[in-house]
Amino acid sequence: MSLSDLDIAGYRSIRAIRFPLRQLTVLVGGNGVGKTNLYRALELVHGAATGDLSMAIAREGGLASAIWGGKRRVIDQPRLRFEVGLDALLPSSEETSVQPRYAVEVGFGDSKYQAVFAHEPQIKSESLILPGRRPVTLLERKGPSAWYRDDAGKRRQLDQPLLASETALSALRGTLPELDAVRHLIASWRFYHGFRTDQDAPLRRPSLALTAPMLDADGGNLAAVLATLRHIRGDTVDIDQTIDRAFPGARLDIPPPERDASFTLTFPDMPQRPFGPAELSDGTLQFIALLGALLAYRPPPFIALNEPEASLHTDLLPALAQAIARAAQRSQVWVVTHSPILAEAIADQTGVEPRRVIRRDGATWLEGLSEIGTFTDDP
């Protein structure tokens, strides 16, 4: 199951935009054009599936900070809207690919109609629709009330109203296999926006020896991810080759874990002096963590990287591009970067040309994107 397109309206520097995504999507642009807002909007859709959407907006400074700050018509309501299209095999589709669409709208709370704090982001509406000649609505929510379609195709009203801060997508569990499948897919996406590398960072602390199929968002289980590849899967060829390309002659050692998992990196000019996570430079540790995210034992269906080149020397970017290319063979990958060097290196590895993020009439836009949401250079 993959993400086919993204539709965003009213979020920070984004007035309204809709564009398709490929197996590998690379967005490149300078500072201040809204690259991170595109990345963050998709992370908020992930929050709708995990139940953290309202909290995520509150942590950004609240709805007043997240709402589109440009000109609006008098009739335009100050709201955020996110919609995604998915290419998926749902339980009832009998192995036929379908394209469910999930949409959620968030606005300011209104205590006259729903129990809500004064500045709390309120879920105004949600829908999950199967498009087609005869579209089928599987879920619809207006304010606190919602209904879903059961296995027999009948509409079922929720027994209790939803709270303003909770999404129907996260709250309705076990009601319909298709709804569960979409929630599980979106909730399984992973987002990596840099890793802490200070001395108290999770990356530098010991990692418990537990089988780790994928990297945590903070990288705290990196050593366990590497140990899972080496001692459970028995294959670290991709990581070893990428390490050698980045640091010619270097060796990544991953001993059998005991209570904790660990790893060291040994450089050719100091062959008797292995360096552990607490000793590695910020850039080197960041690079190894990115490899853990991209080349894990069981990668998530969707991986999003925001400015992965941060803290990395430009000499490491071709090796990072190689890891991204390999990850895109198993997962859908989205990369947001301000580095033309990285974008060009990815293009050299994959043939996928980057999309340039620009400002158009004061709002975030993509170069070559038409008003109907297609790229003029697509076949």
Side-chain angles (χ1 to χ4, degrees), residues 258-300:
E258 296 180 358
R259 180 183 180 278
D260 294 327
S262 63
F263 67 91
T264 59
L265 189 64
T266 303
F267 298 94
D269 56 346
M270 300 183 69
Q272 305 303 318
R273 177 63 170 86
F275 291 82
E279 303 170 291
L280 291 170
S281 71
D282 291 354
T284 300
L285 190 58
Q286 174 95 352
F287 181 79
I288 297 174
L290 287 167
L291 298 190
L294 292 164
L295 304 176
Y297 176 80
R298 186 186 300 150

Side-chain angles (χ1 to χ4, degrees), residues 99-144:
Q99 294 183 316
R101 302 197 64 81
Y102 172 72
V104 59
E105 191 173 81
V106 185
F108 289 99
D110 190 340
S111 58
K112 291 188 297 183
Y113 301 102
Q114 190 173 3
V116 61
F117 294 123
H119 299 286
E120 184 176 2
Q122 181 176 3
I123 311 299
K124 296 293 186 179
S125 67
E126 283 178 270
S127 64
L128 179 61
I129 298 173
L130 298 182
R133 297 178 64 182
R134 300 179 65 180
V136 177
T137 300
L138 300 180
L139 164 70
E140 186 171 72
R141 182 249 187 93
K142 298 291 185 183

Side-chain angles (χ1 to χ4, degrees), residues 22-361:
R22 296 172 288 190
Q23 181 69 15
L24 172 60
T25 297
V26 181
L27 303 181
V28 63
N31 292 327
V33 294
K35 301 185 308 299
T36 297
N37 292 338
L38 294 169
Y39 168 95
R40 182 63 179 148
L42 197 53
E43 197 170 18
L44 291 176
V45 175
H46 173 262
T50 60
D52 298 322
L53 175 57
S54 293
M55 178 62 75
I57 294 172
R59 285 173 175 161
E60 287 191 15
L63 195 59
S65 297
I67 209 79
W68 160 251
K71 292 182 179 179
R72 285 195 300 266
R73 297 174 300 175
V74 175
I75 60 173
D76 291 340
Q77 293 181 307
R79 291 186 177 179
L80 311 179
R81 188 176 187 278
F82 309 103
E83 181 175 340
V84 292
L86 306 168
D87 282 322
L89 290 175
L90 297 181
S92 63
S93 62
E94 298 180 353
E95 301 304 315
T96 301
S97 180
V98 296
Q99 294 183 316
R101 302 197 64 81
Y102 172 72
V104 59
E105 191 173 81
V106 185
F108 289 99
D110 190 340
S111 58
K112 291 188 297 183
Y113 301 102
Q114 190 173 3
V116 61
F117 294 123
H119 299 286
E120 184 176 2
Q122 181 176 3
I123 311 299
K124 296 293 186 179
S125 67
E126 283 178 270
S127 64
L128 179 61
I129 298 173
L130 298 182
R133 297 178 64 182
R134 300 179 65 180
V136 177
T137 300
L138 300 180
L139 164 70
E140 186 171 72
R141 182 249 187 93
K142 298 291 185 183
S145 63
W147 63 266
Y148 63 93
R149 203 172 296 277
D150 65 16
D151 289 336
K154 294 182 179 180
R155 289 174 46 153
R156 299 287 186 185
Q157 201 75 24
L158 261 66
D159 296 332
Q160 295 183 344
L162 293 163
L163 294 174
S165 58
E166 63 182 342
T167 56
L169 183 63
S170 66
L172 292 177
R173 297 174 180 267
T175 56
L176 188 66
E178 290 80 2
L179 182 60
D180 288 340
V182 169
R183 181 183 61 254
H184 176 74
L185 169 64
I186 298 176
S188 67
W189 296 348
R190 290 295 179 268
F191 297 81
Y192 299 102
H193 185 178
F195 299 97
R196 282 180 51 198
T197 54
D198 58 89
Q199 288 304 310
D200 294 324
L203 277 179
R204 296 192 185 276
R205 295 200 297 263
S207 175
L208 291 175
L210 299 173
T211 303
M214 68 182 68
L215 188 69
D216 292 342
D218 64 2
N221 66 338
L222 175 59
V225 167
L226 298 176
T228 299
L229 283 169
R230 176 64 56 84
H231 302 289
I232 300 296
R233 184 178 179 178
D235 180 7
T236 55
V237 172
D238 287 347
I239 284 184
D240 291 339
Q241 289 179 349
T242 309
I243 287 286
D244 186 63
R245 182 169 184 177
F247 310 103
R251 185 181 71 252
L252 183 67
D253 291 311
I254 310 165
E258 296 180 358
R259 180 183 180 278
D260 294 327
S262 63
F263 67 91
T264 59
L265 189 64
T266 303
F267 298 94
D269 56 346
M270 300 183 69
Q272 305 303 318
R273 177 63 170 86
F275 291 82
E279 303 170 291
L280 291 170
S281 71
D282 291 354
T284 300
L285 190 58
Q286 174 95 352
F287 181 79
I288 297 174
L290 287 167
L291 298 190
L294 292 164
L295 304 176
Y297 176 80
R298 186 186 300 150
F302 183 89
I303 301 171
L305 305 178
N306 188 30
E307 299 185 356
E309 71 280 2
S311 299
L312 301 186
H313 191 278
T314 53
D315 289 348
L316 298 181
L317 299 187
L320 176 59
Q322 176 181 301
I324 290 170
R326 287 177 172 171
Q329 296 173 5
R330 298 195 294 164
S331 301
Q332 190 175 15
V333 180
W334 157 303
V335 180
V336 175
T337 177
H338 60 60
S339 170
I341 297 174
L342 177 60
E344 291 168 9
I346 295 172
D348 290 341
Q349 288 278 337
T350 64
V352 175
E353 293 298 325
R355 298 293 183 187
R356 181 162 294 278
V357 185
I358 60 174
R359 285 276 190 163
R360 192 187 71 165
D361 299 328

